[in-house]
Amino acid sequence: MRDLVQAVELPAGCPAFDAIRTRSDDFRARLEHAGCVEDAPMPGEIASLFGILDEVVARLYGGLDVSVRRPAVHLALGRLHSDQVAGLLDSSALSGSCRWIDGSDLVSVVTLSVRDDAFDWDCACHLPYVLAHELVCHAYQGTAVADGAEPRLQVDGSCAWSEGWMDVIALWLVEGWVRGDQEGKPAWIVQEATDVLRACSALNARRIGAQATLPPIQRSRRIYARRAVDRLLAELDRFGDGDGDADLGGGRNRVLAFSLALNALRLPQSDRDRVVDALGVALETSFGIDRDELIAAVVDFSATGDMVALRRTLADYEG
């Protein structure tokens, strides 16, 4: 990716440079000549990375106590004009989106859009986070096994749960995956883990920075949601015996289980945001036995997916 890494100087002997250089011409051609989303050719390196991350996310959702249906997830390539630089695009040439085309089966289509002539080394390092966000937050949303045939309910960019709370979970997943010892990771991820982690963390932080395309109220709600995740993590770190996965820790595992279980439910956006609001208030104001009951309700929900019981606990904190 010699021409694609113009933002950084890499020595000729750098393993990443050698691996990237051999694919630069084909990679650039595929990105620049992506005509329409459905028919755009997908670079093999990106398709492989996406498939690996999809398996990671599928295992997480499949390991929940709440039953979920695994959707068929497809990756498409989109194109952004070179003058599109507003919002997150002032920090990355990449943008992700997800749509559902459910029928008898659940089908999620993730679109990775790339700005013309702007793909550099930082953008390559952004790929795991951008793809993980679309998978964790959106592609598997609403996949819990439910009675009847209720359709999945799409959210938009104003959803504090999806774009604030679950975005933290997406970064955790990427960090755990990059640092972990799982087999099958692309060689460049292993070799350049420091750069990947730095770039993904920076782009995640940028999502709550001031942006021309992000209304202030939405930005405030994203920040509020992230603070609520931090407060819940602090509580669940102290809950029980603290046992858990070595990469995530007991508290993170419990926040992860709660978050994925709630994300898997088929809820309208307004209900998801009410949970964010009520949990934020409860974690700021409750104490003593009320705090103990709140944390117990969160843990119980992770095991049962019983939204009625969780709402009953949160009712006193709703505005």
Side-chain angles (χ1 to χ4, degrees), residues 49 53 94 123-135 170 173-174 177-178 188-189 196 200:
L49 176 62
L53 290 172
L94 304 180
C123 292
C125 293
H126 291 157
L127 279 166
Y129 166 67
V130 173
L131 295 175
H133 172 92
E134 298 305 326
L135 287 165
L173 180 148
V174 169
W177 176 70
V178 171
W188 71 273
I189 294 286
V196 171
C200 290

Side-chain angles (χ1 to χ4, degrees), residues 246-270:
D247 291 335
L248 292 177
R252 277 203 175 189
N253 274 339
R254 295 182 180 103
V255 175
L256 190 72
F258 169 80
S259 303
L260 296 179
L262 196 146
N263 201 53
L265 294 185
R266 298 189 180 185
L267 298 173
Q269 178 173 325
S270 57

Side-chain angles (χ1 to χ4, degrees), residues 23-276:
R23 299 173 174 84
S24 62
D25 292 340
D26 178 63
F27 193 88
R28 169 61 67 86
R30 287 172 179 268
L31 288 176
E32 291 187 346
H33 295 94
C36 67
V37 169
E38 288 75 16
D39 298 328
M42 180 61 62
E45 294 90 340
I46 296 179
S48 175
L49 176 62
F50 182 76
I52 293 168
L53 290 172
D54 184 33
E55 288 297 328
V56 172
V57 174
R59 286 197 297 270
L60 286 174
Y61 275 95
L64 296 174
D65 292 325
V66 177
S67 297
V68 301
R69 292 174 60 193
R70 180 174 180 176
V73 186
H74 304 285
L75 180 63
L77 189 62
R79 183 176 182 179
L80 299 168
H81 194 273
S82 58
D83 65 359
Q84 290 181 258
V85 293
L88 278 181
L89 291 174
D90 62 10
S91 299
S92 180
L94 304 180
S95 176
S97 62
C98 182
R99 73 184 191 278
W100 302 329
I101 49 175
D102 297 344
S104 56
D105 297 318
L106 303 180
V107 180
S108 300
V109 178
V110 172
T111 298
L112 177 71
S113 296
V114 184
R115 191 168 76 246
D116 291 344
D117 302 318
F119 195 94
D120 57 18
W121 177 243
D122 268 356
C123 292
C125 293
H126 291 157
L127 279 166
Y129 166 67
V130 173
L131 295 175
H133 172 92
E134 298 305 326
L135 287 165
V136 174
C137 305
H138 302 296
Y140 282 74
Q141 195 169 58
T143 55
V145 175
D147 294 332
E150 302 91 344
R152 290 199 283 173
L153 302 170
Q154 198 97 36
V155 302
D156 59 38
S158 68
C159 182
W161 170 263
S162 302
E163 304 301 332
W165 185 293
M166 288 302 298
D167 192 43
V168 175
I169 305 304
L171 182 63
W172 286 0
L173 180 148
V174 169
E175 291 174 338
W177 176 70
V178 171
R179 292 184 176 123
D181 58 2
Q182 303 93 331
E183 295 182 1
K185 281 189 293 189
W188 71 273
I189 294 286
V190 176
Q191 295 165 356
E192 309 299 338
T194 299
D195 275 4
V196 171
L197 290 169
R198 172 194 54 76
C200 290
S201 179
L203 189 59
N204 173 268
R206 182 72 183 94
R207 286 180 54 82
I208 57 171
Q211 302 171 39
T213 57
L214 182 63
I217 184 63
Q218 291 183 24
R219 180 190 175 206
S220 296
R221 288 186 54 72
R222 287 184 186 183
I223 294 172
Y224 181 84
R226 290 192 181 196
R227 287 175 178 167
V229 177
D230 290 341
R231 290 191 176 100
L232 183 60
L233 175 60
E235 288 299 318
L236 290 178
D237 269 337
R238 294 192 289 269
F239 183 86
D241 56 16
D243 289 342
D245 185 277
D247 291 335
L248 292 177
R252 277 203 175 189
N253 274 339
R254 295 182 180 103
V255 175
L256 190 72
F258 169 80
S259 303
L260 296 179
L262 196 146
N263 201 53
L265 294 185
R266 298 189 180 185
L267 298 173
Q269 178 173 325
S270 57
D271 282 8
R272 296 184 189 281
D273 283 346
R274 274 199 290 272
V275 171
V276 172

